């Protein structure tokens, strides 16, 4: 059996070698955190390398994701399906060992990290997921959901604002099974952090209601182990273990300096480092006794087997709960989903209510929320405006997690990244809300959900100048185009209650990425649809009103502007024009249809096209072409009642008619 | 003379009336903070209502900008050019009293606020500006730059992550003349904040190195005054004054509840409130003695007169410094600017160096940084990667502010909002940097700069899959389209050192909005340009390589893809095609040219068009039309060496040739 130092040095050696071979990467953090990782993974982490998807595993998040060779080394050494060859392919095309840990590329990567601060936010989501599921499913003597969430984070994560949002909320929610390790090495890219980061971080986290264990020597395994035990003893407070470490530990000439942060050490320095560490092996060479010291396969299998036995006993006593937990963990929808959602749509179509689409969304939630306990709602302190609290909503508090609604507070970015963690954990379809323009505060978390192809639903209300008096800071212009250009994200801007239902249905059913719902503050007139049109709405774009003969003009609209387009078409028809109106609630879903369908909606021969949307015009040239026109926004909004604004910015049925006749 | 309570009640009455008449707005915060505001404005604030631009005035920021009737009331009562009629037009089209305080709409509005947390960030920028200017310009006995920055903020601002970023940095920078008032009323939109916000905020701010004055009764003028005196006594630490207040103070039935946060109180409740407050006057009625208690015209004029005398004496003794400070305060460029910048461009064109555009940017800064002391640089902890530290850069620290470079730490959003504050203060052209993809962390601050039309320059490097191994989290795809759709923002993606110089020159000279520079990590080949082409580059789009006869195909490219387009054009020419290459570094500047110029570059008759850019394709349909093609990205990137990625994603000269020949 090798010493703990030897085991940790395997991480250091592999990290140095991996970065050197790629001639690119970050050796400093893995070398600095190797001892902490060794203690955590070998003595505490409950996981099963043979089954990275074991539902009750502890979650491990590397928030300082640039230190990716740390997690690749850990996965390889402990027995995951990640070979030495994989490590040698670090940062190469088609390899599983990407520059930053990418969810879905290698087994055991719980979340994609790299954008700083978001890993700890995901970890808060994992811990919240565990606590909420436990509160909803565990029974006396049956703690079937019972795991820790561990997170490594560095100075960069600590400086990012999102760390404030999510750690503050973690304290309020009393996420006692969240344990974070702060890699306090005093170095960031510009150099020694004391020039720009002088927080008393322990005091800051105590102010959030965390347990803080200070001044732990991150290179002393006994101290680290003692701290973790202390962390586990407090079941109410999340714990921050502040570890003093040396970046690039072991490198005689670069340790403690930012020189080892983001570049290979170089062959000579690697040689010197291995000598200094007493590591006598070749490049990418790990001796058998080191492997055996790390191997977690047997222990992991035992742990999962024990849990399986527990779960079987639980299932015997609580069959309904067990089946439900299995369903939710698998991400399957309930058996009655298709019926419930179809009936809801038929009802909306028949009732033809005039409501704001934000209100329509709440009406949807009143229906589906009762059927989908996995819908975990929330809003960044705008529940009464976003209308996200539905008839079956129950608030979650620090004292009582047996609910399905999180009051995220005024924390848009934190909310969105926590939602990513909830979705990654499994057992939930998270939805969260804010005003559309404040999507921007959370923008990169939305992108991360799309990059990771996770199912969740963002509810963005107050979607244009139609919000009125709050003015330009609150009126979106360029935001929806940005979302539509985001790969894997479906952005819906429904025109009435029926389309809002279609959008929600799509978001719940889409398993390969997030969905954003762009909803109005103001009331929207219901549109009439045939059965065929009702079905076509799910295709993202469809003919809502057609001309009697072949169309000579096509009007394309979304959301609150569909009514304008329909009214403009009526006027144009009176003038003898053959006009078609296409409702296009989701461009990405429309784009994904087959060519024949798209041609049937937007025939290439019809070049007289006008798009109307109270958002930035530039997105729509894609559909109307150089010869078309777009009625929309090119500037910021103003503060005034909504009706005045639509006239002021000339987004009216008359403007659409004028644009169409000018072609 | 009226009592302090009567003076404060004038704010309450006007706020209630303004919101009621508009039938929209937020009465709760103005009513809650009225007493604090009364003390600050009547006893402490150095300002001159007759000259809102007096350079040495104290700055006042309402970070909880929804309470806009508070600041409108203060401006009106103290004597600014803002009439009762203006107040009656609250939230109406073309009024000066927009729903949120909009910079440039009413005198005395120092910054646009509403997006929570950004006001306190702007305030940190104001305070930093004061400290840096003072360190660079003040002389013994001549404190010509010497003012406080006061900021009101509420629970929402406290929850936002950006408050962490900027308050942490304010502590490190020892901004002792920043005084923030925390409106601790315990209420946010979802209800009582204790369900989602349980921070020990005083402890948190002490951890940032602030002086914290706790438990101040925000309705006790003496307590508020004592706290402000204490704040002023500490010249090293920024001060947070934690004021316990009652939201909607004075409203018998709605005070202390979120019901008064964002809706009119209603006529009956206003009547009851005025009775409870002892306010006996009609709607929008303020008696003469209340006006006289508020009037700051004479005192303000005296203060400015005294400062003018000080400045004249300073100018007599230090004429060069005085002239320079006046120039910088006016925002004028030095007399030699045109010569310096023109010579720089000529040199770049002649030398034709192959450099990454991030390196070209540093080369520009080495030249212009020596000539423009108002250039206040910085990076969010990426100075060695963004290459923003130039030959004349000197770091600013808490101890020594006589520099021109801020190490912002890993705080992209905070940096960007602080830059807005620096630009609003005057005396600086701020520039700040991060990786392009992390623009998203700061996105709304960039929008706020554009909305306020302030001059500053964002340096965004690592601008495509060309950054290579760091992978999809770090590789921009949809970001630049988003910036191009942002009104008032110019986004430049230069193709070589010369165009980088043109872009910087444009950013320094543009006085009606911000500029973003989108720069490569990898080396870019220099392009040859005639004198005419050199001049045309400033037009944002121009013919870089033309066909001998009239073009039949146009290739449009930016940045690193210009070289691909030029190579593709050479191949196509060999095939006998008449091909034009248009370099389009800045689409918004190109769009603003006259129709004749645009037609000369992109003749309508030429419909065979291919755009190439290693970013999302959808932006380019605007220029190539339905019949054109775009070579670019539609998915996220991958982790691999840059050369492999361009091949993998088929962004090559061959792909451009293929696209062009397929038309």
């Amino acid at each position: 059996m090798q010493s703990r130092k030897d085991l940790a040095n395997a991480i250091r050696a592999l990290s140095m070698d991996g970065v050197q071979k790629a001639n690119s990467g970050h050796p400093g953090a893995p070398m600095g955190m190797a001892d902490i990782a060794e203690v955590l993974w070998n003595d505490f982490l409950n996981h099963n390398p043979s089954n990275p998807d074991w539902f009750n595993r502890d979650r491990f998040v590397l928030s300082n994701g640039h230190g990716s060779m740390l997690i690749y080394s850990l996965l390889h050494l402990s027995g995951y399906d990640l070979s030495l060859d994989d490590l040698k392919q670090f940062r190469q095309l088609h390899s599983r060992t990407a520059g930053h840990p990418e969810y879905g590329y290698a087994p055991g990567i719980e979340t994609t990290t790299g954008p700083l601060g978001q890993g700890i936010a995901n970890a808060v989501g994992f811990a919240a997921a565990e606590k909420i599921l436990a509160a909803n499913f565990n029974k006396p003597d049956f703690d079937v959901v019972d795991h820790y969430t561990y997170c490594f984070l560095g100075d960069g994560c600590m400086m990012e604002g999102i760390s404030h949002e999510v750690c503050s909320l973690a304290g309020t929610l009393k996420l006692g099974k969240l344990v974070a390790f702060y890699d306090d090495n005093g170095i960031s890219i510009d150099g020694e952090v004391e020039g720009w980061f002088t927080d008393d971080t322990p005091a800051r986290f105590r102010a959030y209601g965390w347990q803080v264990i200070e001044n732990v020597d991150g290179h002393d395994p006994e101290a680290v182990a003692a701290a973790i035990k202390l962390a586990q003893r407090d079941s109410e407070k999340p714990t921050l273990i502040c570890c003093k470490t040396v970046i690039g530990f072991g490198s005689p000439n670069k340790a403690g300096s930012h020189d080892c942060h983001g570049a290979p050490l170089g062959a000579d320095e690697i040689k010197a480092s291995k000598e200094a560490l007493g590591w006598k092996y070749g490049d990418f060479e790990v001796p058998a006794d080191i492997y055996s010291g790390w191997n977690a396969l047997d222990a992991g299998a035992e742990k999962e087997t024990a849990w399986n036995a527990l779960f079987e006993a639980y299932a015997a006593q609580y069959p309904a709960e067990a089946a439900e937990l299995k369903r939710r963990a698998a991400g399957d929808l309930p058996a009655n989903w298709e019926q419930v959602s179809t009936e809801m749509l038929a009802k909306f179509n028949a009732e033809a209510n005039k409501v704001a689409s934000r209100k329509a969304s709440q009406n949807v939630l009143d229906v589906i929320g009762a059927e989908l306990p996995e819908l975990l709602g929330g809003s960044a302190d705008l529940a009464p405006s976003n209308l996200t609290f539905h008839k079956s909503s129950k608030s979650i508090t620090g004292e009582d997690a047996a609910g399905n609604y999180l009051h995220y507070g005024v924390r848009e970015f934190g909310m969105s990244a926590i939602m990513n963690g909830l979705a990654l954990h499994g057992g939930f379809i998270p939805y969260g809300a804010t005003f559309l323009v404040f999507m921007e505060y959370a923008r990169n978390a939305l992108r991360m959900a799309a990059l990771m192809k996770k199912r969740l639903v963002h509810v963005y209300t107050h979607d244009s100048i139609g919000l009125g008096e709050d003015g330009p800071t609150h009126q979106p212009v360029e935001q929806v185009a940005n979302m539509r250009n985001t790969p894997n994200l479906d952005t819906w801007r429904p025109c009435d209650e029926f389309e809002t239902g279609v959008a929600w249905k799509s978001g719940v059913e889409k398993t390969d990425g997030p969905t954003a719902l762009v909803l109005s503050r103001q009331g929207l007139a219901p549109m009439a649809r045939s059965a065929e049109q009702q079905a076509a709405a799910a295709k993202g774009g469809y003919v809502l009103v057609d001309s009697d003969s072949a169309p000579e003009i096509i009007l394309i609209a979304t959301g609150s502007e569909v009514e304008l387009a329909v009214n403009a078409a009526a006027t144009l028809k009176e003038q003898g024009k053959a006009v078609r109106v296409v409702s296009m609630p989701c461009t990405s879903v429309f784009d994904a249809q087959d060519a024949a369908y798209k041609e049937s909606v937007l025939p290439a021969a019809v070049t007289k096209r006008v798009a109307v949307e109270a958002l930035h015009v530039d997105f729509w040239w894609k559909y109307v072409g150089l010869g078309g026109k777009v009625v929309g926004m090119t500037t910021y909004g103003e503060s005034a009642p909504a009706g005045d604004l639509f006239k002021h910015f000339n987004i009216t049925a008359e403007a659409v008619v004028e644009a169409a006749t000018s072609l």
Side-chain angles (χ1 to χ4, degrees), chain A:
Chain A
M1 186 58 146
Q2 295 293 303
S3 74
R4 283 192 174 284
K5 275 287 166 216
D6 293 329
L7 295 175
N9 285 340
I11 296 173
R12 296 191 174 97
L14 289 172
S15 298
M16 287 188 282
D17 291 344
V19 172
Q20 185 69 21
K21 183 157 193 306
N23 194 27
S24 169
H26 302 77
M31 296 173 76
M33 297 197 79
D35 296 305
I36 305 168
E38 188 279 318
V39 173
L40 176 65
W41 278 56
N42 282 327
D43 287 17
F44 293 91
L45 196 72
N46 282 316
H47 64 135
N48 181 6
S50 308
N51 179 14
D53 297 327
W54 173 34
F55 194 66
N56 198 46
R57 71 192 179 278
D58 290 340
R59 266 59 169 186
F60 175 78
V61 177
L62 186 72
S63 191
N64 45 351
H66 51 272
S68 53
M69 274 306 303
L70 175 65
I71 195 163
Y72 297 143
S73 300
L74 290 164
L75 294 169
H76 169 70
L77 291 165
S78 63
Y80 284 79
D81 176 22
L82 196 72
S83 68
L84 267 185
D85 278 343
D86 287 322
L87 268 51
K88 290 176 185 169
Q89 287 300 306
F90 182 48
R91 296 189 154 229
Q92 304 309 303
L93 195 59
H94 305 308
S95 91
R96 305 162 82 194
T97 50
H100 289 80
E102 301 286 341
Y103 174 75
Y105 282 45
I109 304 292
E110 302 282 2
T111 178
T112 296
T113 51
L116 294 174
Q118 286 188 72
I120 179 68
N122 298 158
V124 170
F126 283 120
E130 193 269 350
K131 180 163 176 161
I132 298 165
L133 284 175
N136 282 292
F137 283 97
N138 286 356
K139 300 286 178 189
D141 296 327
F142 291 105
D143 288 342
V144 289
V145 181
D146 179 18
H147 69 77
Y148 286 93
T149 299
Y150 298 104
C151 181
F152 283 10
L153 73 165
D155 290 304
C157 295
M158 282 294 183
M159 282 185 256
E160 289 287 4
I162 190 173
S163 69
H164 166 60
E165 298 184 6
V166 301
C167 294
S168 166
L169 189 61
T172 302
L173 293 177
K174 301 193 196 300
L175 302 181
K177 288 159 94 174
L178 172 64
V179 182
F181 299 79
Y182 171 30
D183 183 31
D184 183 10
N185 62 29
I187 295 292
S188 66
I189 293 177
D190 272 15
E192 296 177 10
V193 297
E194 64 187 17
W196 44 90
F197 183 49
T198 55
D199 287 5
D200 178 348
T201 296
R204 175 188 162 207
F205 274 72
R206 277 192 293 264
Y208 295 150
W210 285 48
Q211 171 180 220
V212 178
I213 304 172
E214 283 187 71
N215 291 316
V216 174
D217 178 350
H219 301 297
D220 175 352
E222 300 312 315
V224 172
I228 298 174
K229 283 178 194 155
L230 216 54
Q232 295 184 338
R233 209 168 299 156
D234 191 327
S235 61
E236 281 243 314
K237 293 179 175 175
T239 297
L240 181 72
I241 302 176
C242 297
C243 301
K244 294 276 177 199
T245 65
V246 177
I247 189 171
F249 183 93
S251 164
N253 302 301
K254 297 190 173 179
S257 137
H258 88 277
D259 291 345
C260 63
H261 167 81
L265 296 185
D268 291 348
E269 185 65 13
I270 291 178
K271 188 160 176 284
S273 301
K274 288 183 178 173
E275 275 175 23
L277 292 166
W279 185 262
K280 308 184 191 75
Y281 316 103
D283 294 351
F284 292 101
E285 183 189 346
V286 179
D289 56 351
I290 295 286
Y291 273 124
S292 93
W294 274 102
N295 192 308
L297 286 164
D298 290 347
E302 273 175 41
K303 285 169 184 164
E304 184 172 350
T305 302
W307 182 81
N308 287 340
L310 177 74
F311 192 83
E312 274 171 40
Y314 171 81
Q317 203 161 336
Y318 304 101
E321 287 85 346
E324 180 72 352
L325 181 57
K326 277 178 104 161
R327 180 187 71 77
R328 286 178 54 175
D332 297 331
L333 296 173
N336 68 346
W337 167 251
E338 190 56 35
Q339 187 198 337
V340 166
S341 55
T342 306
E343 286 176 3
M344 171 185 74
L345 291 180
K347 178 168 166 283
F348 287 162
N349 193 64
E351 291 183 349
N353 291 316
K354 176 171 180 169
V355 291
S357 47
R358 62 174 172 150
K359 179 61 188 167
S361 169
Q362 194 175 42
N363 293 344
V364 172
L365 285 168
D366 282 342
V367 176
I368 69 174
E371 306 293 333
L372 297 175
E374 59 264 50
L375 272 182
L376 183 67
S379 161
D381 196 46
L382 288 170
S385 294
N386 300 140
L387 302 180
T388 39
F389 202 85
H390 58 77
K391 285 180 182 165
S392 307
S393 288
K394 184 189 166 207
S395 297
I396 289 161
T397 67
E399 288 67 35
D400 180 8
N404 61 359
Y405 195 90
L406 280 165
H407 293 275
Y408 286 103
V410 189
R411 303 179 177 101
E412 298 83 6
F413 195 9
M415 170 179 75
S416 305
I418 288 172
M419 286 166 64
N420 292 350
L422 291 163
L424 287 157
H425 183 280
F428 297 101
I429 302 175
Y431 70 94
T434 184
F435 291 153
L436 173 57
V437 81
F438 299 124
M439 174 276 293
E440 298 194 336
Y441 273 52
R443 162 66 202 167
N444 198 255
L446 180 56
R447 185 181 207 248
M448 293 299 289
L451 180 59
M452 293 190 278
K453 301 185 181 177
K454 294 314 291 181
R455 173 168 55 181
L456 46 83
V457 179
H458 282 284
V459 177
Y460 296 128
T461 70
H462 295 62
D463 73 343
S464 75
I465 52 169
L467 68 86
E469 292 89 342
D470 275 339
T473 55
H474 284 53
Q475 290 164 357
V477 173
E478 68 276 37
Q479 288 65 31
V480 172
N482 180 225
M483 293 195 291
R484 289 181 180 139
N485 284 344
T486 301
N488 307 341
L489 171 67
D490 285 342
T491 302
W492 289 82
R493 189 167 186 260
C495 75
D496 63 6
E497 191 171 37
F498 176 83
E499 279 190 3
T500 306
V502 171
W504 260 111
K505 186 172 185 335
S506 171
V508 166
E509 294 174 1
K510 178 179 166 72
T511 55
D512 61 351
T515 295
L517 308 181
V518 171
L519 305 175
S520 74
R521 178 190 183 214
Q522 72 275 28
L524 303 182
M527 297 291 141
R529 289 175 191 83
S530 66
E532 193 189 352
Q533 285 173 317
Q534 291 174 54
K539 296 184 177 177
Y542 62 104
V543 179
L544 181 66
V545 177
D546 210 359
S547 47
D548 299 328
S549 55
E552 51 180 327
I553 297 170
I554 299 177
L555 308 180
I556 309 171
T558 80
S560 47
E561 286 67 66
V562 168
E563 188 183 1
L564 296 186
V566 169
N567 292 343
T571 304
L572 289 163
K573 192 176 176 185
E574 286 167 17
Q575 296 173 4
K577 304 275 190 356
V579 184
R580 166 179 290 187
V581 177
V582 171
S583 179
M584 183 80 89
C586 185
T587 57
S588 57
V589 167
F590 178 75
D591 289 351
Q593 303 302 319
D594 62 43
Y597 178 75
K598 288 188 279 190
E599 171 67 18
S600 77
V601 176
L602 297 176
V606 185
T607 59
K608 291 185 179 179
R609 300 180 180 190
V610 178
V612 52
E613 186 176 62
L615 295 167
H616 201 285
V617 296
D618 270 1
F619 177 77
W620 289 101
W621 302 111
K622 176 179 178 184
Y623 297 98
V624 302
L626 295 176
K629 294 228 167 165
V630 186
V631 174
M633 301 288 291
T634 57
T635 66
Y636 295 108
E638 292 288 353
S639 170
D644 295 352
L645 292 174
F646 278 97
K647 282 187 207 115
H648 175 71
F649 289 105
N650 205 26
I651 301 174
T652 60
E654 295 70 38
V656 175
V657 169
E658 195 183 314
T661 50
S662 77
L663 294 176

